[in-house]
Amino acid sequence: MTIEALIARYGLGALLLGAGIEGETVVVLSGIMVQRGVLPYAGAILAAAIGSFVADQLFFAAGRRFRDHPRVRRWSAKPAFARALATFERHPTLFVFAFRFLYGLRTVSPVAIGTTQLPLARFIVLNGAAALLWAVTFVSIGYWFGHGLSAVIGRWLPSWQVLAGGGVAIVLLGGLAWWWRQRT
């Protein structure tokens, strides 16, 4: 079975997980797969939105449940956490809508928001709408720029090598980011 056949069979499930764990890179790559006809456009958007929504709900719940835990207290002393809370206090609705678009604040923001008094129901509604907007944006970026990227990349490597190399790069970068965060 080819890589494209595997993606056609498991693509939306993998996208759902990837959108929640990694984020933009996986979703832009899914847009490229939509452009190639491997994934359906609406399905890719829905899978990306659900993956992002669920991950942020889990981080919010962790912040709410463990707001007094020593690890969350250590996180709250870090500049990104303080920046997220300060911005949230000024513009709570806008911040919940925008944090997933802000580099460096995507993971820490729902935890920080969970430590505030924002009602769960309000976070669910805002998070759902924002996840949908985010998914439409990044799947569309992959779709619209996918043709050009595919043409350039296709000259150098067969598609399965590009996908495999991209997957390895994502795993390595994710591991490096995790290691770096643990050190600081």
Side-chain angles (χ1 to χ4, degrees):
M1 185 176 281
T2 68
I3 288 290
E4 289 181 352
L6 289 171
I7 291 173
R9 186 168 181 186
Y10 302 110
L12 294 178
L15 170 57
L16 189 141
L17 288 174
I21 295 169
E22 194 287 322
E24 290 84 1
T25 304
V26 171
V27 178
V28 169
L29 287 174
S30 76
I32 293 170
M33 301 308 283
V34 167
Q35 187 271 332
R36 290 177 149 196
V38 177
L39 296 175
Y41 184 70
I45 288 172
L46 189 59
I50 291 170
S52 179
F53 173 81
V54 168
D56 291 335
Q57 285 302 132
L58 291 173
F59 283 126
F60 175 86
R64 182 66 42 103
R65 169 70 176 91
F66 299 107
R67 71 178 85 182
D68 295 324
H69 190 274
R71 177 165 281 201
V72 174
R73 290 215 180 268
R74 269 196 318 265
W75 282 4
S76 66
K78 293 186 178 192
F81 199 98
R83 227 177 16 252
L85 278 179
T87 306
F88 173 80
E89 295 299 329
R90 285 192 308 273
H91 310 285
T93 300
L94 180 62
F95 184 74
V96 172
F97 229 89
F99 74 78
R100 72 189 72 241
F101 293 95
L102 302 173
Y103 181 76
L105 294 178
R106 182 153 194 272
T107 303
V108 72
S109 293
V111 175
I113 294 167
T115 66
T116 70
Q117 298 303 314
L118 183 73
L120 174 62
R122 183 170 175 200
F123 184 76
I124 288 171
V125 170
L126 292 173
N127 186 35
L132 187 58
L133 175 66
W134 176 83
V136 167
T137 301
F138 285 98
V139 168
S140 296
I141 286 170
Y143 179 82
W144 290 109
F145 292 103
H147 182 68
L149 288 172
S150 294
V152 169
I153 293 171
R155 291 182 192 148
W156 295 316
L157 297 170
S159 62
W160 68 269
Q161 289 175 323
V162 172
L163 292 173
V168 168
I170 289 168
V171 169
L172 289 175
L173 288 173
L176 182 62
W178 175 83
W179 174 77
W180 184 259
R181 285 186 190 144
Q182 296 300 314
R183 276 188 36 175
T184 56

